């Protein structure tokens, strides 16, 4: 589903557009002209994601890289399989999250715990995946005519990154699970979630300029997207908490 001249949504579940498995995050394709990249891969809908890519008229062979914004299962559950389906293309993940992704450590990402109360299917097994390159704060990558900047935004979890894309036409913030429409956030009772880091990361994003906010779930904001960051930062800076996506 094309949402901008150079951005497609090709996967997503119940908190998205139900394009693939109900537990999938938004799966984005960015089109840099000579090459393309995926941002995240979802939980368990790789066949549907690949079919959506083809139905959008995209040659999967043009996808050269997968960016993994953080290690939670709804964003990485299908990562190893999608990587293979696309010809074992390189994966880029945050330096803090990469060791866990390589090991497939289901305990570290909270998957085992979430399966204990059926948030995720108890029979699902997370497969470790090679990570060929690592994001660090401010590191830049190029996909064709698009420059991508990694922005470290811990708070939702350790090793969470937003990705700022820029070309001659626009700047877009792929915010993953850091910030959503209306200034909502996901702060969870898990071992590596931090209110203080979340607040610091939100204020950090105030220093970046972008037009479109493209989150990991719910509705993208194609214009004036920064207003959602401003709304959440305002709540944090009043010693409060923004509204939660799951509230």
């Amino acid at each position: 589903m094309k949402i901008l001249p150079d951005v497609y949504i090709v996967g997503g579940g119940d908190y998205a557009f139900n394009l693939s498995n109900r537990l999938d995050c938004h799966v984005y394709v960015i089109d840099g002209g000579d090459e393309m990249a995926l941002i995240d891969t979802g939980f368990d809908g790789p066949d549907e994601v690949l079919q959506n890519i083809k139905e959008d008229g995209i040659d999967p062979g043009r996808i050269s890289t997968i960016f993994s914004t953080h290690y939670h299962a709804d964003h990485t559950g299908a990562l190893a399989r999608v990587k293979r389906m696309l010809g074992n293309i390189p994966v880029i993940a945050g330096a803090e999250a990469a060791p866990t992704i390589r090991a497939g450590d289901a305990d570290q990402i909270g998957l085992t715990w979430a399966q204990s109360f059926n948030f995720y299917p108890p029979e699902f097994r997370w497969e470790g995946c090679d990570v060929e390159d690592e994001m660090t704060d401010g590191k830049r990558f190029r996909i064709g005519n698009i420059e991508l900047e990694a922005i470290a935004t811990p708070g939702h979890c350790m090793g969470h990154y937003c990705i700022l894309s820029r070309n001659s036409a626009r700047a877009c913030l792929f915010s993953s699970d850091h910030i959503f429409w209306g200034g909502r956030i996901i702060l969870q009772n898990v071992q590596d979630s931090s209110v203080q880091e979340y607040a610091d990361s939100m204020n950090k994003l105030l220093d970046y300029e972008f037009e479109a906010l493209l989150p990991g779930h719910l509705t993208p904001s194609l214009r004036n997207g920064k207003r959602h960051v401003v709304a959440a930062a305002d709540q944090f800076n009043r010693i409060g908490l923004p509204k939660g996506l799951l509230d």
Side-chain angles (χ1 to χ4, degrees):
M1 181 171 64
K2 192 171 188 176
I3 60 170
L4 288 169
D6 53 2
V7 179
Y8 299 76
I9 297 178
V10 295
D14 287 350
Y15 285 99
F17 300 114
N18 290 110
L19 295 173
S20 52
N21 184 280
R22 69 178 189 84
L23 294 171
D24 284 351
C25 67
H26 283 317
V27 180
Y28 292 98
V29 170
I30 57 173
D31 183 357
D34 293 340
E35 58 182 328
M36 295 180 160
L38 272 184
I39 295 184
D40 289 327
T41 55
F43 175 70
D44 197 21
D47 293 326
E48 292 170 294
V49 168
L50 186 61
Q51 183 61 33
N52 291 336
I53 288 171
K54 293 176 180 177
E55 289 180 358
D56 276 332
I58 299 168
D59 175 6
R62 293 178 60 204
I63 300 174
S64 63
T65 311
I66 300 170
F67 288 85
S68 183
T69 60
H70 65 294
Y71 54 29
H72 284 162
D74 55 330
H75 293 253
T76 62
L79 179 58
R81 285 171 289 164
V82 172
K83 176 180 170 70
R84 284 195 298 271
M85 292 167 73
L86 294 177
N88 203 35
I89 61 176
V91 169
I92 301 174
E96 303 86 350
T100 299
I101 293 173
R102 292 183 180 112
D105 187 345
D107 292 333
Q108 172 62 33
I109 69 169
L111 174 60
T112 304
W113 179 58
Q115 287 176 308
S116 72
F117 52 86
N118 294 316
F119 186 88
Y120 291 114
E123 68 276 7
F124 179 79
R125 294 295 176 267
W126 188 39
E127 182 182 353
C129 180
D130 288 340
V131 176
E132 284 78 12
D133 199 356
E134 298 180 0
M135 290 186 279
T136 54
D137 190 42
K139 187 171 180 178
R140 300 189 181 203
F141 305 86
R142 183 158 290 279
I143 299 295
N145 61 18
I146 297 177
E147 180 186 78
L148 303 177
E149 180 178 354
I151 306 172
T153 48
H156 173 70
C157 69
M158 180 186 76
H160 186 287
Y161 279 78
C162 294
I163 298 174
L164 183 65
S165 74
R166 302 183 183 95
N167 62 16
S168 59
R170 71 185 56 80
C172 304
L173 186 74
F174 293 89
S175 63
S176 193
D177 282 0
H178 183 71
I179 177 68
F180 303 91
W181 178 275
R184 289 180 178 268
I185 65 170
I186 303 181
L187 187 64
Q188 296 168 298
N189 179 27
V190 295
Q191 61 184 350
D192 62 348
S193 188
S194 165
V195 173
Q196 289 74 28
E197 287 186 326
Y198 218 137
D200 289 345
S201 295
M202 197 67 70
N203 279 294
K204 178 181 180 178
L205 289 182
L206 295 175
D207 294 334
Y208 293 86
E209 295 303 322
F210 56 90
E211 184 67 12
L213 180 76
L214 306 178
H217 305 276
L218 298 184
T219 306
S221 186
L222 303 183
R223 295 182 181 177
N224 195 21
K226 190 173 176 178
R227 74 188 189 274
H228 307 294
V229 172
V230 172
D234 182 65
Q235 289 300 308
F236 276 125
N237 294 334
R238 294 172 184 266
I239 324 178
L241 289 176
K243 291 182 179 180
L245 181 145
L246 302 177
D247 291 349

